[in-house]
Amino acid sequence: MGSYKLICLSCNRTIVDNYTLSCPCGGGFVRTAYDARQLTVRDMPGMWKYYDWLPTKGFIDIPGKTVTYKSEALAKELGLRELYIAFNGYWPEIGAMIHTCSFKELEAPPTILRAMEHGGKAMVLASAGNTARAFAYLSTITGFPLIIVVPGKNLGNLWIPGREPGKSVHLIAMGEGNDYTDAINLAGRIASVPGLLPEGGAKNVARRDGMATVMLDGAVFMKTLPDEYFQAIGSGTGGVAAWEAALRLRDDGRFGQRLPRLHLAQNLPFAPMLHAWEEGRRDIMPERDMPEAKELISQMYTDILSNRNPPYSVKGGVYDAMKDTDGIMYGVTNEEAISAKKLFESLEGIDLLPASAVAVSALIQACDRGTISPDKKVLLNITGGGYERLKKDMKLNPVKPCIEVEGPDVPLDDILKVIE
Ligand SMILES: *Cc1c(COP(=O)(O)O)cnc(C)c1O
Ligand SMILES: [Zn+2]
């Protein structure tokens, strides 16, 4: 059970996992190759029902997992016969118990456990919000030390549901004018300190395989691979994970042989992957695809979807996932997202995080334009929701910074002093 090797997608070499984030060849992603070719759904807590295809020996006993259900009201509104919603958030009435309300809580558990199982002492990560919240929660539950770098304006996203933040959580807040990419740069510097593990982002197979459980859950519920998969992206890691899950399910043999088409949506006006993809380019050209990035990001409905350095060009990344599935990219304006949010909430009866509304809007666009026909099996990834619902049930305790810094070039000693 759960045993695997890593394969380098560039040179095809097989690597024994030693918390390996990349191959010595310096090529593209490494990917897990699990011994279990067919998926057995396990009677284990939360997302560990997909234990066979997660890169950990043990498990963490929390209830969070994707809950997939068949939509009636939104499906009818859009004229779809088979719309399935993969809900990632808090909605106890349907058994959805992701307490930090986004699918980042599918990345954090296997990532932290994998680091612990490989003897890591502490992990460093950068985040604009949902990732930080999920990892801080998991650090609180496991006691595994975590250093989180967050742009100051995103501090409000950082809370622990129903309990006090653990002493293992060390939060570094960055002053005004810093965005997510500045946080990534500072986190990268901190992670170079011996003993501190970088969380690795999309390169980390635990993050991708954790997110991949969304597609696994959809396919297990639908008893087949979907035809179409919709998701809002910032880094696109979730899209890559959905593709990788679909490749495994195709290999399993019982879920059909056609890969779902990826429909990935960015929030305008900041949409570097959309621009590169529309021009057929594997490379993002910063001056063309995201001029004045900080200004554009400040205009977004949700900067959770901003990432100036997404894993787009890398072998095994977003571009390859889109090519292999004949994917489509969408740009969604703030107004479109807001109206999609209202529509979804009134029809399905649960509140959405803003990013999820971007995916709903892409689905509306696809239906309006006739891009997908009414008989297609559609899987809509609701990447986050139930925050308003959660607030009724639980106290959300803010995580307080242990230091505030001006920018990514702050001397490392200043930071190490306070986290020791
Ligand atoms: C991170 C996040 C996304 C984007 O996911 P990626 O696939 O990593 O780009 C979408 N929605 C929510 C709620 C998120 O937290
Ligand atoms: Zn290699």
Side-chain angles (χ1 to χ4, degrees), residues 12-30:
N12 278 324
R13 113 176 64 180
T14 302
I15 304 163
V16 175
D17 186 16
N18 184 23
Y19 195 76
T20 309
L21 296 176
S22 54
C23 175
C25 81
F29 280 167
V30 293

Side-chain angles (χ1 to χ4, degrees), residues 88 101-104 107 129-131 133 207 211 229 231-240 264 273 302 304-305 307 353-356 381-385:
N88 298 290
C101 296
S102 89
F103 78 157
K104 299 300 193 304
E107 297 182 83
N130 295 346
T131 305
R133 185 165 70 247
R207 286 192 69 158
M211 282 179 143
Y229 170 84
Q231 193 204 305
I233 58 165
S235 74
T237 311
V240 172
L264 304 181
M273 289 187 275
T302 173
I304 289 289
L305 298 179
N307 186 317
L353 292 191
S356 307
N381 186 347
I382 294 298
T383 45

Side-chain angles (χ1 to χ4, degrees), residues 147-324:
I147 300 157
I148 314 176
V149 187
V150 176
K153 65 175 180 314
N154 297 111
L155 278 180
N157 288 331
L158 254 163
W159 40 263
I160 304 289
R163 54 201 289 176
E164 288 300 322
K167 297 231 182 322
S168 55
V169 181
H170 307 277
L171 177 60
I172 298 166
M174 297 186 76
E176 220 174 296
N178 291 285
D179 72 2
Y180 179 40
T181 302
D182 299 311
I184 290 176
N185 292 338
L186 177 55
R189 289 182 59 226
I190 299 172
S192 67
V193 174
L196 300 183
L197 296 180
E199 137 284 333
K203 287 200 293 266
N204 190 326
V205 291
R207 286 192 69 158
R208 305 211 306 278
D209 291 2
M211 282 179 143
T213 61
V214 178
M215 177 63 79
L216 301 185
D217 197 74
V220 165
F221 184 84
M222 297 164 69
K223 300 192 169 63
T224 177
L225 281 162
D227 300 307
E228 325 283 341
Y229 170 84
F230 282 79
Q231 193 204 305
I233 58 165
S235 74
T237 311
V240 172
W243 168 55
E244 293 182 312
L247 292 171
R248 282 194 184 106
L249 290 164
R250 185 173 69 179
D251 227 27
D252 175 302
R254 296 170 296 172
F255 296 90
Q257 291 301 306
R258 265 237 326 275
L259 293 177
R261 180 195 295 252
L262 296 186
H263 300 259
L264 304 181
Q266 297 216 273
N267 181 195
L268 298 170
F270 182 78
M273 289 187 275
L274 171 71
H275 295 312
W277 177 255
E278 283 189 332
E279 296 189 350
R281 277 184 277 117
R282 175 182 269 277
D283 291 300
I284 290 176
M285 297 161 61
E287 59 299 337
R288 187 176 173 97
D289 298 326
M290 44 179 171
E292 324 246 8
K294 285 194 183 190
E295 171 56 24
L296 296 181
I297 289 170
S298 75
Q299 295 171 23
M300 295 170 81
Y301 176 46
T302 173
D303 66 4
I304 289 289
L305 298 179
S306 71
N307 186 317
R308 288 194 267 144
N309 195 15
Y312 175 76
S313 322
V314 59
K315 177 106 177 139
V318 178
Y319 180 86
D320 286 338
M322 290 287 290
K323 271 280 170 207
D324 198 32

